[in-house]
């Protein structure tokens, strides 16, 4: 089983912003997640995605995987656990199956996940979106 680990900010591809305002870029961000995952599937191939069950990029990736009939693994933080500890658990549980990482715009949690993978694996990390206009995030 070859998995793509997906990480990204909870406010990227989510209908509201961190301040509670409407994310005017939501529809385009959601489409960018889907378009970039479709491109990666065609280019590198994988059997499914594993993601941290956060709103935003993670949820968009989960919906994409389900829609495409792929394996869709969600790893939410355990009760009282920080997302950073969830990242470690997610990596430990699935590292033998993760061959690529799709890192969408995010913050400290996204960068922590990328750092974990870079320090422990030769997995390719794709900073996405690629080849798309900047949305000024």
């Amino acid at each position: 089983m070859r998995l793509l680990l997906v990480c990204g900010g909870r406010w990227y591809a989510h209908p509201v912003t961190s301040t509670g305002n409407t994310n005017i870029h939501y529809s385009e961000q959601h489409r960018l997640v889907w378009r970039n995952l479709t491109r990666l599937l065609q280019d590198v191939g994988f059997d499914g995605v594993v993601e941290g069950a956060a709103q935003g990029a993670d949820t968009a990736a989960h919906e994409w995987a389900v829609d495409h009939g792929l394996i869709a693994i969600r790893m939410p933080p355990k009760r009282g656990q920080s997302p950073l500890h969830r990242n470690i658990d997610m990596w430990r549980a699935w590292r033998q199956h993760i061959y690529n990482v799709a890192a969408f715009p995010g913050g400290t949690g996204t960068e922590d996940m990328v750092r974990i993978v870079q320090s422990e694996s030769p997995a390719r990390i794709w900073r996405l979106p690629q080849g798309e206009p900047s949305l000024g995030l």
Side-chain angles (χ1 to χ4, degrees):
M1 172 173 48
R2 292 174 46 93
L3 295 176
L4 174 73
L5 186 147
V6 177
C7 56
R10 69 186 72 194
W11 307 113
Y12 187 81
H14 190 270
V16 295
T17 67
S18 59
T19 60
N21 296 321
T22 300
N23 179 358
I24 60 171
H25 300 295
Y26 164 71
S27 295
E28 183 59 19
Q29 290 169 352
H30 197 270
R31 283 192 296 271
L32 285 173
V33 170
W34 280 52
R35 196 164 40 239
N36 279 273
L37 293 179
T38 299
R39 187 179 305 147
L40 277 178
L41 180 61
Q42 293 167 350
D43 291 349
V44 300
F46 48 88
D47 301 310
V49 300
V50 58
E51 42 80 18
Q55 61 190 4
D58 290 5
T59 296
H62 176 80
E63 293 167 353
W64 175 87
V66 170
D67 188 71
H68 286 77
L70 299 174
I71 297 165
I73 300 166
R74 303 208 90 185
M75 291 283 300
K78 296 173 185 154
R79 186 174 183 90
Q81 181 184 48
S82 78
L84 299 182
H85 283 103
R86 182 266 326 276
N87 286 351
I88 293 167
D89 288 349
M90 183 165 48
W91 175 249
R92 287 180 180 158
W94 297 103
R95 68 179 159 211
Q96 69 274 17
H97 299 289
I98 295 170
Y99 290 85
N100 290 285
V101 176
F104 290 92
T108 56
T110 302
E111 292 311 309
D112 178 67
M113 190 75 253
V114 168
R115 183 193 54 74
I116 290 169
V117 174
Q118 285 177 328
S119 69
E120 298 188 19
S121 168
R124 174 91 189 259
I125 297 171
W126 301 88
R127 295 290 188 157
L128 301 170
Q130 290 183 340
E132 301 291 347
S134 170
L135 295 173
L137 299 174

